[in-house]
Amino acid sequence: MPTVTTSPVELIASLYRSYNDRDLQRWLAHFTEDALWLNVPTGERYTGAQGQQDNYFAWSTPFPRGRCEDLVVRGGGEVVVAEFNGVGVHEGPLITPAGEVSPTYRSTSLAFCDVHSVGDGKITETHRYWDRAAAAAQLGL
């Protein structure tokens, strides 16, 4: 896939725009072929193109109208940090390491912080930080 952009900050901002637009192919174009995504609170690891696709659906399936709002992107060079609020309604099955959670139809607004490593114009690794207890409380779990 071609490089999405040359600016690391714009690359990361574009990643979240592609998620909000529900453009899976554009989302995938942001990553190297062997990129790693780690959800730190759960330990879930997503590797390569299939992993990035699975990660995308891990969020878009339970929150089909979910959005990344109040996005702030900082950094440059090889490390870029993105902070945002994940806002949505839990309308689909949520797959967790502990099992599947049926839709609760509750609204959520959860703070996320993603630390992206960038090389040759693409994301090579991401570590996502979020408050697992706050997510569970908002979903009534």
Side-chain angles (χ1 to χ4, degrees):
M1 289 184 194
T3 300
V4 175
T5 183
T6 56
S7 163
V9 169
E10 179 53 34
L11 171 76
I12 301 308
S14 174
L15 176 72
Y16 297 96
R17 285 193 301 272
S18 67
Y19 181 83
N20 285 349
D21 293 343
R22 293 301 185 269
D23 188 336
L24 174 60
Q25 293 309 310
R26 193 170 45 148
W27 164 271
L28 293 173
H30 291 82
F31 297 94
T32 61
E33 290 182 21
D34 61 347
L36 168 68
W37 187 292
L38 173 64
N39 280 325
V40 174
T42 62
E44 295 164 294
R45 298 172 68 88
Y46 299 93
T47 304
Q50 184 62 53
Q52 301 320 313
Q53 182 171 315
D54 293 346
N55 180 41
Y56 175 92
F57 285 118
W59 295 102
S60 66
T61 298
F63 301 97
R65 294 178 292 138
R67 298 189 50 79
C68 301
E69 296 184 351
D70 305 318
L71 178 67
V72 176
V73 180
R74 295 182 177 97
E78 295 179 1
V79 177
V80 178
V81 175
E83 297 174 282
F84 64 94
N85 289 317
V87 178
V89 176
H90 179 209
E91 300 177 77
L94 173 63
I95 307 302
T96 74
E100 183 176 312
V101 177
S102 296
T104 62
Y105 301 100
R106 292 182 128 190
S107 295
T108 63
S109 179
L110 192 65
F112 288 85
C113 181
D114 294 344
V115 179
H116 300 279
S117 297
V118 176
D120 295 325
K122 293 200 176 199
I123 300 166
T124 61
E125 190 167 323
T126 299
H127 290 194
R128 171 167 279 179
Y129 298 88
W130 48 279
D131 185 340
R132 190 172 173 182
Q138 287 185 28
L139 294 175
L141 305 176

